[in-house]
């Protein structure tokens, strides 16, 4: 169980050397007790202290990567049940399952390799390929693993095979890619753990129900494998929510180590839209790896978007890029409005402009992601700064008549702004976005 | 170490609200735990999905969803019957779009007639929504409440700027009421308090904390709904215990992802699947964060959400 700061302090060198970045060993111990830092930040810690502290200072949910290199997906390390409490840390990895003897194996691997898209400034992709052993043949399976490794060089690989005798050759062949072995059951734990240990690979523990699963992870850990992923046998969406909630709660609230690991959920369904819906349940509810059945661009976009939404840090406002957005196909006579770059402000304002069907330009000014009134109060959306933005962005060249529509909330700025922006007419727009359609149509 | 199921028991519960006439009533809410955690509490009622229809042709709906209703959407009665009889709708949400000053400015009396006609044609519960014009809704929804007297409808949406007359009308004609505020738990709470101070029973309220589409602020709605649920359950705050509505369709069916063709944006894939799953996943996310009632447009999205609910219950 967790140690207090003072208990940890007793195990530290007590030299106050500051190499950890903290002024004293006690300060470091306190931080360690809160779980905000790793023990490894202390370069002089003794082995004895390490083993004593290792267990106690470990995060409640073990964190490690799926795959290798820059595109590896970090898993685990979560600290909260609800995203508004702090944030969800490591976005669920999305894995596509394919059979080892499927004629489309190479094509699927290539599709995964090319799945990256850019969304609101983030590069998102299918993270992993799960190779299901349908052939039951070791050589076929090994060849499939090699094909996938070659065709999808950035993707993590999951070896979806329950037979230790079949999985071993494939695991060895692509060990440098750190494939996840999926999975060990109670019957195969020794053999699978031996392969995982010999090749330094993470291993899925698969059992029916959380009692059996807890026993199995203890067993596997006892066999020397540290990086474990949980499969609880959850199939329906109800089981996914219930099991995953219980796992997360046990780990976070009860410090129950046997379930302090990332979770894998397979959500494969016959209907691809239903599968997308169930995948969204797993993403929202604590799954670290979500296994789906196909790579389709529309499906990727939907799942990437939901994952991005829910894993956004609620304390850091999402921002959109500062620029002049064209809505509809505005000509030089189209209205020009200005707002701040808080993403929600942008979404709502641009949505209402779209609703109005009046082609317009929306100038979005970087105010560090604050909404209009907050940015004004914080001195980031002032007449001087707006004038600067107007001049530097070259807005004047985009319009025939130099008229800028200001959010009604900051009507107070209009006088100062007209003084600073020579030749511009400042018009006060609506206070609330939902009045924009009426406002814009009324101008026509 | 043996595993003990970590259950939580909450002091509060989500209020159960029924709507519709005797014999065809639906009930939402009533759960004593967070969404779908039946292992530790009661989850007595399925979330209800209502089909959205309008009192005028949905010219601003994207083609993918507009085309489904092209033979019936010229007339709200045919449209309502189509939803009930052909699509198997469990409830209908009639949005009085054409009463909006910019969308035809139809009178409150005309809207009342439409409601009477629709109610006469269907036998499933009806949700009556204004055009989201604060001043106009204040008169339209009053006439609507009267026209639907005795039908135990859900009327909405009462907002800070117009709740008084709408609350009085819902009270007088015995309807349920949607109270809407904009993405802020404190505003939602405040509006619920103002409404109950008028003598309106909190057990007849439904909270709309404002929906948002996947990719367009979904996370804000998601967290506001979760926080409302936690306030009602864990802190036993009675003003935060009404069921929640997610007005999904109108937010989804205008974003680029439900409009742009696969030819225009090849990296987004097929429009049909993309737009339908956009509505599906938005609705599923809303259910996970606390929505008890969903208002949706595309039949295939509704079908997939119903299948998701089947799995969740």
């Amino acid at each position: 169980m967790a140690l207090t700061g003072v208990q940890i302090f007793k195990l530290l060198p007590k030299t106050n050397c500051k190499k950890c970045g903290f002024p004293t060993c006690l300060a470091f111990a306190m931080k360690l007790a809160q779980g905000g830092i790793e023990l490894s930040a202390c370069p002089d810690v003794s082995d004895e202290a390490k083993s004593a502290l290792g267990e106690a200072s470990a995060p409640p949910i073990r964190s490690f990567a799926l795959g290798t290199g820059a595109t590896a997906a970090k898993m685990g390390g979560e600290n909260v049940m609800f995203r508004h409490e702090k944030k969800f840390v490591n976005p669920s990895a999305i894995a596509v399952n394919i059979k080892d003897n499927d004629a489309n194996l190479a094509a699927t691997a290539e599709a995964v390799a090319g799945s990256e898209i850019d969304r609101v400034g983030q590069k998102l992709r299918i993270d992993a390929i799960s190779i299901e052993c349908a052939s039951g043949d070791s050589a076929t399976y090994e060849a499939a693993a090699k094909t996938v490794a070659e065709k999808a060089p950035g993707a993590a690989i999951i070896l979806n095979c329950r037979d230790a005798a079949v999985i071993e050759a494939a695991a060895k062949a692509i060990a440098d890619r750190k494939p996840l072995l999926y999975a060990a059951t109670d019957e195969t734990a020794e053999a699978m753990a031996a392969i995982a240990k010999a090749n330094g690979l993470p291993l899925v523990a698969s059992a029916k129900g959380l009692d059996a699963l807890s026993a199995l992870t203890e067993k596997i850990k006892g066999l020397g494998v540290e990086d474990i992923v949980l499969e609880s046998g959850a199939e329906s969406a109800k089981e996914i929510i219930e099991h995953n909630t219980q796992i997360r709660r046990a780990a976070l609230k009860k410090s129950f180590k046997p379930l302090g690991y990332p979770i894998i959920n397979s959500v494969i369904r016959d209907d691809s839209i239903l599968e997308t819906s169930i995948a969204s349940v797993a993403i929202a509810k604590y799954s670290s790896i979500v296994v789906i059945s196909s790579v389709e661009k529309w499906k990727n976009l939907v799942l990437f978007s939901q994952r991005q939404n829910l894993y956004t840090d609620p304390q850091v406002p999402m921002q959109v890029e500062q620029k002049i957005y064209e809505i509809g196909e505005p000509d030089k006579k189209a209205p020009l409005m200005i707002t701040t770059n808080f993403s929600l402000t942008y979404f709502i304002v641009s949505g209402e402009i779209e609703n109005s069907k009046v082609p317009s330009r929306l100038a979005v000014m970087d105010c560090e992601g604050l909404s209009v009134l907050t940015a004004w109060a914080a001195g980031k959306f002032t007449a001087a700064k707006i004038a600067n933005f107007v001049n530097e962005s070259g807005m004047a060249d985009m319009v025939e008549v130099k008229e800028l529509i200001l959010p009604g909330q900051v009507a107070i700025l209009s006088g100062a702004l007209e003084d600073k922006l020579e030749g511009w007419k400042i018009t006060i727009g609506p206070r609330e976005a939902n009045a924009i359609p009426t406002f814009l149509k009324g101008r026509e | 170490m043996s595993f003990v199921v970590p259950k939580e028991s909450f002091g509060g519960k989500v209020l159960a609200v029924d709507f519709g006439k005797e014999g065809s009533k639906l009930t939402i809410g009533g759960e004593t735990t967070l969404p779908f955690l039946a292992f530790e509490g009661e989850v007595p009622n399925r979330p209800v999905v209502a089909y959205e229809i309008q009192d005028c042709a949905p010219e601003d709906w994207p083609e993918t969803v507009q085309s489904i209703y092209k033979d019936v959407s010229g007339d709200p009665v045919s449209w309502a019957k189509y939803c009930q009889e052909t699509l198997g709708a469990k409830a209908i949400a009639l949005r009085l779009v054409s009463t909006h000053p910019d969308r035809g400015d139809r009178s409150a009396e005309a809207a009342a007639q439409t409601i009477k006609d629709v109610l006469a044609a269907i036998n499933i519960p009806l949700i009556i929504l204004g055009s989201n014009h604060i001043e106009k809704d204040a008169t339209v929804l009053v006439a609507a409440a009267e026209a639907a007297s005795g039908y135990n409808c859900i009327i909405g949406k009462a907002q800070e700027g117009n709740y008084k007359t709408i609350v009085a009308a819902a009270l007088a004609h015995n309807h349920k009421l949607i109270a809407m505020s904009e993405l802020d738990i404190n505003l939602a709470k405040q509006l619920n308090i103002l409404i109950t101070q008028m003598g309106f029973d909190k057990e007849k309220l439904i909270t709309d904390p404002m929906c948002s589409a996947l990719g367009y602020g979904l996370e804000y709605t998601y967290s506001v709904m979760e926080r409302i649920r936690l306030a009602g359950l864990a802190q036993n705050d009675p003003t935060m215990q009404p069921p929640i509505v997610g007005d999904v369709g109108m937010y989804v069916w205008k974003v680029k992802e439900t409009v742009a063709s696969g030819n225009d944006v090849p990296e987004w894939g097929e429009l049909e699947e993309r737009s339908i799953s956009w509505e599906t996943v938005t609705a599923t996310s809303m259910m996970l964060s606390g929505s008890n009632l969903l208002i949706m447009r595309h039949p295939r999205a509704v079908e997939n959400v119903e299948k998701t609910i089947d799995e969740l219950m």
Side-chain angles (χ1 to χ4, degrees), chain A residues 83 119 237 249 269 277 309, chain B residues 6 40 215 223 257 284 308 311:
Chain A
R83 60 181 295 282
R119 193 157 175 92
R249 270 192 201 159
R269 300 289 184 275
S277 181
N309 281 168
Chain B
E40 63 182 9
S223 284
E257 288 79 355
T284 296
T308 303
E311 282 202 26

Side-chain angles (χ1 to χ4, degrees), chain B residues 83-110:
Chain B
C83 289
Q84 174 178 301
E85 284 153 22
T86 309
L87 301 178
K90 292 176 176 165
I92 286 173
L94 167 61
R95 201 182 300 276
L96 300 165
V97 173
S98 72
T99 61
H100 194 286
D102 297 340
R103 300 286 303 273
D105 205 15
R106 281 177 80 226
S107 67
E109 295 71 38

Side-chain angles (χ1 to χ4, degrees), chain A residues 104-115 129 147-148 150-153 295:
Chain A
N104 292 319
L105 183 80
T108 300
E110 280 169 356
V112 168
S115 66
I129 300 172
T147 302
V148 168
E150 182 203 335
K151 300 285 182 190
V295 195

Side-chain angles (χ1 to χ4, degrees), chain B residues 214-273:
Chain B
L214 174 63
Y216 293 83
L218 178 91
E219 69 273 31
Y220 295 97
T221 300
Y222 189 91
S223 284
V224 169
M225 286 186 183
E226 282 199 330
R227 290 176 61 203
I228 290 175
R229 271 290 161 271
L230 286 166
L233 293 169
Q235 291 153 38
N236 199 7
D237 179 343
T239 65
M240 297 274 78
Q241 290 171 345
I244 297 175
V245 59
D247 197 353
V248 172
M250 68 174 283
Y251 287 94
V252 166
W253 292 100
K254 66 178 183 184
V255 305
K256 280 190 206 78
E257 288 79 355
T258 61
V259 179
S261 77
N263 291 333
D264 291 343
V265 197
E267 67 272 25
W268 285 359
E270 292 82 346
L271 173 61
E272 174 99 4
E273 277 78 8

Side-chain angles (χ1 to χ4, degrees), chain B residues 159-216:
Chain B
Q159 304 182 51
E160 193 192 354
N162 64 10
Y163 71 92
K164 285 184 182 158
T165 56
I166 300 170
V167 170
L171 197 58
H173 299 284
N174 221 357
H175 296 298
K176 306 305 188 302
L177 181 71
I178 297 173
M180 182 196 163
S181 50
E182 293 187 350
L183 279 179
D184 183 317
I185 185 171
N186 295 311
L187 293 179
K189 182 177 162 74
Q190 185 192 335
L191 183 59
N192 286 356
I193 291 172
L194 290 172
I195 289 173
T196 47
Q197 278 174 348
M198 285 183 67
F200 196 85
D201 191 348
K202 69 175 162 52
E203 304 192 354
K204 294 182 172 183
L205 265 183
I206 295 164
T207 298
D208 180 356
M210 196 166 129
C211 195
S212 18
L214 174 63
Y216 293 83

Side-chain angles (χ1 to χ4, degrees), chain A residues 109-125:
Chain A
E110 280 169 356
V112 168
S115 66
E116 184 168 284
I117 56 171
D118 188 280
R119 193 157 175 92
V120 203
Q122 291 182 1
K123 296 209 180 306
L124 307 169
R125 66 189 77 79

